[in-house]
Amino acid sequence: MPYPKSVSVIRGEERLTGCGGDPLSLLQGDWQVTRLEGMPSSGLTLEVAGDRLAGRSACNRYTTALTLTGETLTVAAPAATRMACPAAAMQTEAAFSALLGRVSGFDLGSDGALLLLGEGKELLRATR
């Protein structure tokens, strides 16, 4: 789990270093999804505000809750609008929604990309 701050504690001549801060703060803001399970993707967004996730899922708008406990990030089943769209957009939307349900953690790439992880692999990549 990435953390936003580095922390050092000095006691006498002993120095302990670690990480600190709220990891959820690293997710805050607007993200454009660029990859779903390694495949290029567009038209999907993640808008994180506090412990809420919302955005556009190819066709419809969605909203859901994020839960961060220890080293685990989970995404609740999203609630979404129900607009009819072309079949390809609906397939992308279904895949996106299913991937959100498989998220178990996150990381930040060396390029600053948000990586949503699950089952030991990158499920989704997004950039600001």
Side-chain angles (χ1 to χ4, degrees):
M1 178 80 60
Y3 288 84
K5 300 193 185 293
S6 295
V7 178
S8 294
V9 176
I10 300 170
R11 182 175 175 215
E13 293 191 25
E14 183 179 18
R15 179 186 189 105
L16 303 172
T17 59
C19 48
D22 181 9
L24 196 55
S25 69
L26 298 171
L27 301 174
Q28 302 303 301
D30 297 339
W31 301 87
Q32 302 295 315
V33 177
T34 59
R35 299 187 83 71
L36 288 178
E37 288 194 301
M39 301 297 295
S41 186
S42 63
L44 304 167
T45 63
L46 304 168
E47 301 160 9
V48 183
D51 63 355
R52 298 297 304 167
L53 172 64
R56 179 157 301 281
S57 58
C59 175
N60 288 286
R61 300 265 323 150
Y62 70 92
T63 185
T64 187
L66 298 173
T67 303
L68 187 64
T69 55
E71 295 293 312
T72 303
L73 173 70
T74 55
V75 180
T81 58
R82 294 186 158 291
M83 295 187 297
C85 296
M90 297 305 289
Q91 288 175 336
T92 299
E93 189 165 285
F96 175 69
S97 199
L99 283 178
L100 289 179
R102 293 168 40 203
V103 169
S104 60
F106 80 96
D107 202 354
L108 297 175
S110 60
D111 60 354
L114 171 62
L115 312 175
L116 293 183
L117 311 171
E119 302 155 3
K121 65 182 180 181
E122 178 183 312
L123 300 175
L124 180 151
R125 178 179 290 260
T127 58
R128 291 203 187 265

